[in-house]
Amino acid sequence: MANPNKVVGQCTLTANGIRLETSGGTQMEIGGVKREPKMGDYQASGFSESTEPSKITAKVLYKGVLSLAQIRAMDNVTVFLETDVGVSWVVRGAYCAEVLSFDTKEGMADVVLQGPPAEEVR
C-alpha cells in the first residue's frame, strides 16, 4: 500500500511513445472548467464557464538520442505523465505548444506540451 503521507516529487513523461527524461520541476496544469464570476449591482450573481487546455512544462535531459525536431513536430499525440505517488495523467490529442529551447550549460531542453483537459488515471 502506498504511503498516504508521500507527496509528488518525481514523474516520468512519455509523449507519442517517446520517453522524455525529465529533470525535476515538471509542472502540469490539468485543464478543465474555468469559472468566471459575473457581477450584479451588489454581489457576484453567477458565473460563466469555459474550458481551459492542459499544459505540461518540463525540463528534459538533452542527449544525442533525443530529437528536438521530432518533439517540435508533435501534433495530435498521446502524452502520459506518471507521478511517484501512483497517480497518472493522460492527455489525448496533445501538441508541442512553444518553440523549444535548450541550454548547453545545464544540458536541458525546455518542452511545453498542451492539449485538451487531462484525464486522471489511477
Side-chain angles (χ1 to χ4, degrees):
M1 180 174 185
N3 185 335
N5 297 315
K6 185 175 181 179
V7 298
V8 170
Q10 300 177 41
C11 73
T12 59
L13 185 60
T14 306
N16 204 29
I18 300 168
R19 173 86 177 266
L20 303 175
E21 292 188 55
T22 57
S23 180
T26 299
Q27 297 179 338
M28 180 173 195
E29 296 174 25
I30 63 172
V33 175
K34 177 180 178 182
R35 293 186 176 98
E36 293 286 333
K38 297 297 177 184
M39 298 300 296
D41 286 338
Y42 299 102
Q43 64 184 357
S45 297
F47 59 88
S48 63
E49 293 182 337
S50 62
T51 302
E52 296 291 313
S54 62
K55 181 177 181 180
I56 299 170
T57 305
K59 290 202 172 291
V60 176
L61 296 174
Y62 187 21
K63 299 178 180 180
V65 296
L66 180 65
S67 170
L68 293 182
Q70 190 176 12
I71 295 171
R72 179 180 59 196
M74 286 184 177
D75 182 24
N76 197 29
V77 301
T78 301
V79 177
F80 293 98
L81 187 145
E82 300 173 66
T83 70
D84 60 347
V85 294
V87 179
S88 298
W89 295 87
V90 61
V91 180
R92 302 173 204 286
Y95 51 89
C96 182
E98 295 184 14
V99 175
L100 300 176
S101 62
F102 64 91
D103 178 343
T104 58
K105 184 176 182 181
E106 298 295 324
M108 304 286 176
D110 293 320
V111 175
V112 178
L113 304 169
Q114 284 186 287
E119 303 166 40
E120 186 176 26
V121 181
R122 288 192 175 254

